[in-house]
């Protein structure tokens, strides 16, 4: 018997290569779409972060405006008197100003203008003032209401720990007390 050659062998190989080329082209096109979507997602995340920083800056500006009004006007300052015990209008203004200084550093940290180590260094210097220490203790009950996992609570605990270390230190060189936090 004679064997017959099949003429479809060449066409089958060409069709298989065509199918592979089509699949490869589809994969390349899909990869491009995925890359474009990732770039779009990165852009949206950056825009959201920028909006968050803008919102924080707006909040900080509003906070300062409100505190400034209270510092300048004893009647308005009474509204913000959430500290235990009575105090003179002068002491209340000092506490409000201490709050403004501290809050400014919290915001600076949150928007990335300073590191935790820089925040720590600023607070270490600020706590050398007895009025600031008194303010910090007087606001303890308020800080207890802050969500534990927030930046503000974490920074507050850092300050609490630093203040404890400063009070326990038996040296005059306050600028070396405490271990700056790791980022």
């Amino acid at each position: 018997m004679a064997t017959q050659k099949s003429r479809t062998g060449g066409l089958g190989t060409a069709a298989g290569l065509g199918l592979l080329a089509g699949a490869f082209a589809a994969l390349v096109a899909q990869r491009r779409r995925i890359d474009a979507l990732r770039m779009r997602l990165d852009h949206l995340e950056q825009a959201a972060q920028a909006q968050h920083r803008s919102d924080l800056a707006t909040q900080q500006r509003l906070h300062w405006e409100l505190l400034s009004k209270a510092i300048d006007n004893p009647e308005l300052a009474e509204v913000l008197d959430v500290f235990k015990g009575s105090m003179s209008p002068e002491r209340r203004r000092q506490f409000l100003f201490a709050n403004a200084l501290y809050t400014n550093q919290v915001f600076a940290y949150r928007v990335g203008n300073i590191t935790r180590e820089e925040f720590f260094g600023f607070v270490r210097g600020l706590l050398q003032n007895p009025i600031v220490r008194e303010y910090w203790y007087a606001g303890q009950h308020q800080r207890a209401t802050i969500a534990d996992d927030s930046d503000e609570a974490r920074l507050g605990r850092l300050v609490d720990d630093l203040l404890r270390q400063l009070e326990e230190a038996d040296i005059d060189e306050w600028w070396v007390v405490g271990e700056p936090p790791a980022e």
Side-chain angles (χ1 to χ4, degrees), residues 63-183:
H63 181 261
W64 174 246
E65 288 173 15
L66 292 170
L67 282 179
S68 293
K69 288 179 180 189
I71 290 169
D72 293 341
N73 185 326
E75 289 89 22
L76 294 178
E78 286 182 30
V79 173
L80 292 178
D81 189 356
V82 294
F83 305 104
K84 291 184 177 178
S86 62
M87 64 180 66
S88 70
E90 176 185 73
R91 180 64 83 207
R92 188 177 302 116
R93 284 193 303 275
Q94 291 169 332
F95 277 23
L96 292 174
F97 189 72
N99 176 265
L101 289 173
Y102 174 75
T103 303
N104 183 59
Q105 291 303 301
V106 170
F107 280 125
Y109 170 75
R110 289 183 71 195
V111 299
N113 289 347
I114 62 172
T115 63
R116 280 175 59 98
E117 187 172 339
E118 291 169 319
F119 174 85
F120 183 83
F122 174 82
V123 170
R124 183 169 44 197
L126 192 61
L127 289 173
Q128 297 312 300
N129 185 300
I131 296 170
V132 172
R133 287 182 186 208
E134 184 182 338
Y135 153 75
W136 192 255
Y137 285 125
Q140 192 171 17
H141 65 283
Q142 278 192 290
R143 288 190 307 281
T145 66
I146 299 171
D148 283 344
D149 62 341
S150 69
D151 284 336
E152 192 172 349
R154 283 189 287 276
L155 294 174
R157 287 189 298 272
L158 182 145
V159 176
D160 288 339
D161 188 48
L162 176 58
L163 182 54
R164 183 189 48 75
Q165 292 176 47
L166 285 167
E167 289 179 343
E168 292 174 356
D170 194 23
I171 59 173
D172 292 333
E173 298 161 339
W174 58 265
W175 55 92
V176 298
V177 173
E179 188 66 31
E183 286 296 319

